[in-house]
Amino acid sequence: MNISRRTLLGSSLLLGASAGLSACGGSKPSPDSPSTPDGGVFPPGKMIMYGYGQPQWLLEYYNPWLERHQDIAKGVTIDMVQNEGEAQARQKLIQAMSAQDYASAADVIQTSRVSLLDMAKNDILVDFTDYLSGIEDKLVPGALSDSAYDGKLYGLPDSVRPQLLFYNQDILDTYGIDAESLSTMDGYLEAGRKLKTDSKGAVQLSQIDPTTLAWRYWGRRGLLPQAGAQIWGDDGSVVFGDSEGTRKALGYLGTLQSEGHLFVTKMFQAPLYDAIKAGKIATFYIGAFFDEFLRGNVADMAGKWRAQPAPVFEDVGTAGAPVIGLFCAVKKPEGQYSALWQQLWNDFQFDAEARQTWTTKMVEENAPYANPIALDLLKDPFWKEPSDFYGGQSFRETEALGLQNSSANLRVTKDDAEADALISPELEKFIAGDQSIDDAIKNAHEALKSRISTTDPK
């Protein structure tokens, strides 16, 4: 099944879901905004959450929170349903809503900008505009930039994490490379050339995944926003291959790969961690989330790794673009937990003591966590504490620094899931050596024009 057919299927299911919701007009109307039951006490039951990645660690915060709030949520439990990714979570929700299987449908869904647009457009998300508008000035800048659709705010941001450069300090010391020289893209490339020459090819600058993750981490979330690239023009036309930023970003990646500075292996697999431990990869240009994979998989390298903001294109001058994690509440008929979820999310972001307790536990268990997005919490010295894994450097403080002077993300439209499916294969062919980077750009541009042509104007 190609992407276009999947999109059509999704649209038809969503139409069915909307029809199903409308058909429930004889019962309690679905609220557009979260509402608290009379008396402020939520009925006992199961709050279903669709998550992906490693959402089970969030339960280490959520479940104790429910225990502490028995006065309003006695008998309420959370059922975290694991999914492979945000696309699977969205499709599962759509299918449940279409079938009016509200007992299985999520009350809360972890998601991203692309899926949020799809779900909001089809009116199955709870509107948090009033609440989020009132707290926007208390959050890190840009925290709500992925939450909006058609003038309303639907996504509760869970994290705002920057693009960073992780580097092995021991390798840099061995080959006489100053980490400061990695602050620009030109310096980063020169470091790769020095490593290749001085190590006789034994050490490579970084790594690239030969699958769709190359486009995700090096392209969409990495070099393209930093180079000011565009997929769509303001009028919705395809400008991908005509964009100077696209040519700058992918041309740079093409140089890294063609000159042999990237170790080709799949992300998050054992061979990658074996290569890291063997000292074959010096750096990673990737989102801050990679911290949890380093700590969890190469814990015996504690003290060797460091991190700093991503290198910049000097003629552009902006740092890496942030990646925003989102949760949305689902507008289920008779839904009863959207306001409870709002309270839980609020405390996760603003309860300093509880957030620090949970974070300390995550560190002890080598589990994932991110900085809070509340500005007041980030002022606490706790979020600048040194890390043994990073040789005494404060990773949390570095993560906060990485959000300064950040690049704007690529504009996301309803067609970006399909666009990714057209661009990524062309980049994969380049990595496999089957075409040049110029041909990859040209072929992706032609595929976008042929298969999508235009999208929503800005």
Side-chain angles (χ1 to χ4, degrees), residues 255-266:
T255 300
L256 289 177
Q257 172 65 2
S258 300
E259 292 189 3
H261 302 311
L262 302 179
F263 189 95
V264 181
T265 191
K266 289 186 177 180

Side-chain angles (χ1 to χ4, degrees), residues 4-291:
S4 293
R5 291 182 60 195
R6 284 205 300 269
T7 302
L8 289 172
L9 176 60
S11 297
S12 66
L13 287 170
L14 283 166
L15 289 171
S18 297
L21 291 171
S22 300
C24 294
S27 56
K28 182 180 178 181
S30 299
D32 285 334
S33 301
S35 60
T36 302
D38 293 339
V41 178
F42 295 88
K46 184 168 59 179
M47 180 163 63
I48 302 173
M49 299 185 69
Y50 288 178
Y52 53 89
Q54 302 183 76
Q56 70 275 16
W57 295 108
L58 292 171
L59 293 176
E60 300 282 337
Y61 184 96
Y62 297 164
N63 287 329
W65 186 91
L66 288 174
E67 287 295 321
R68 296 195 301 272
H69 292 79
Q70 290 290 290
D71 55 327
I72 63 169
K74 186 175 183 179
V76 177
T77 61
I78 295 176
D79 182 11
M80 182 69 79
V81 180
Q82 178 77 40
N83 293 273
E84 291 181 359
E86 56 96 11
Q88 185 188 60
R90 182 187 72 236
Q91 286 298 323
K92 186 180 292 183
L93 175 62
I94 290 169
Q95 290 169 4
M97 296 291 279
S98 178
Q100 300 185 37
D101 179 12
Y102 305 123
S104 300
D107 295 281
V108 177
I109 182 170
Q110 184 180 6
T111 193
S112 69
R113 175 68 175 161
V114 172
S115 289
L116 181 146
L117 291 178
D118 198 14
M119 294 185 290
K121 187 173 183 178
N122 287 278
D123 195 28
I124 61 172
L125 298 181
V126 174
D127 175 6
F128 285 103
T129 303
D130 291 343
Y131 167 63
L132 289 173
S133 297
I135 64 170
E136 183 172 10
D137 62 346
K138 303 180 188 303
L139 306 178
V140 297
L144 302 183
S145 59
D146 282 359
S147 299
Y149 171 76
D150 197 23
K152 296 182 179 179
L153 297 169
Y154 295 95
L156 296 171
D158 186 62
S159 61
V160 181
R161 311 199 73 178
Q163 186 83 354
L164 294 177
L165 188 74
F166 295 85
Y167 59 91
N168 184 320
Q169 184 65 63
D170 281 5
I171 291 178
L172 298 195
D173 289 344
T174 297
Y175 294 100
I177 296 172
D178 183 351
E180 179 62 27
S181 70
L182 310 181
S183 61
T184 67
M185 292 294 180
D186 286 345
Y188 190 49
L189 175 58
E190 287 304 314
R193 289 169 174 160
K194 181 172 176 57
L195 285 171
K196 182 180 180 182
T197 300
D198 293 357
S199 73
K200 296 181 170 49
V203 181
Q204 288 173 283
L205 179 65
S206 190
Q207 171 267 351
I208 191 168
D209 187 294
T211 72
T212 187
L213 296 184
W215 166 243
R216 176 183 297 181
Y217 295 133
W218 277 100
R220 175 176 283 282
R221 294 184 181 179
L223 294 171
L224 268 78
Q226 281 201 251
Q230 294 175 283
I231 298 176
W232 317 105
D234 289 351
D235 61 354
S237 63
V238 173
V239 299
F240 179 78
D242 299 326
S243 164
E244 180 181 348
T246 298
R247 294 194 296 275
K248 178 191 293 290
L250 294 185
Y252 183 83
L253 180 62
T255 300
L256 289 177
Q257 172 65 2
S258 300
E259 292 189 3
H261 302 311
L262 302 179
F263 189 95
V264 181
T265 191
K266 289 186 177 180
M267 292 292 295
F268 317 126
Q269 304 294 319
L272 171 64
Y273 301 120
D274 290 343
I276 295 172
K277 292 178 181 178
K280 296 181 179 179
I281 303 172
T283 75
F284 287 89
Y285 169 77
I286 199 166
F289 76 94
F290 197 60
D291 157 66

Side-chain angles (χ1 to χ4, degrees), residues 243-414:
S243 164
E244 180 181 348
T246 298
R247 294 194 296 275
K248 178 191 293 290
L250 294 185
Y252 183 83
L253 180 62
T255 300
L256 289 177
Q257 172 65 2
S258 300
E259 292 189 3
H261 302 311
L262 302 179
F263 189 95
V264 181
T265 191
K266 289 186 177 180
M267 292 292 295
F268 317 126
Q269 304 294 319
L272 171 64
Y273 301 120
D274 290 343
I276 295 172
K277 292 178 181 178
K280 296 181 179 179
I281 303 172
T283 75
F284 287 89
Y285 169 77
I286 199 166
F289 76 94
F290 197 60
D291 157 66
E292 67 199 51
F293 290 92
L294 281 178
R295 286 188 291 110
N297 292 281
V298 294
D300 54 339
M301 297 182 74
K304 294 185 177 182
W305 285 88
R306 306 285 189 277
Q308 65 184 34
V312 303
F313 290 107
E314 288 186 277
D315 57 341
V316 179
T318 53
V323 175
I324 301 174
L326 295 169
F327 281 88
C328 295
V330 179
K331 197 162 62 174
K332 292 166 62 172
E334 307 295 341
Q336 52 193 4
Y337 293 131
S338 58
L340 181 64
W341 167 248
Q342 177 185 316
Q343 291 187 42
L344 199 167
W345 180 91
N346 186 86
D347 283 3
F348 185 66
Q349 299 302 338
F350 292 102
D351 185 333
E353 181 179 356
R355 186 63 179 264
Q356 291 182 18
T357 299
W358 175 77
T359 300
T360 299
K361 185 176 183 182
M362 294 299 99
V363 172
E364 292 172 351
E365 298 181 15
N366 261 339
Y369 71 91
N371 284 358
I373 61 174
L375 293 170
D376 280 351
L377 264 64
L378 288 170
K379 295 175 183 175
D380 192 291
F382 176 84
W383 299 103
K384 297 180 181 178
E385 286 185 352
S387 163
D388 291 339
F389 184 82
Y390 292 97
Q393 179 190 34
S394 172
F395 180 78
R396 299 169 196 158
E397 184 175 25
T398 301
E399 181 168 344
L401 289 173
L403 291 174
Q404 297 179 5
N405 188 36
S406 58
S407 302
N409 274 299
L410 299 179
R411 182 165 77 91
V412 176
T413 74
K414 63 180 178 56

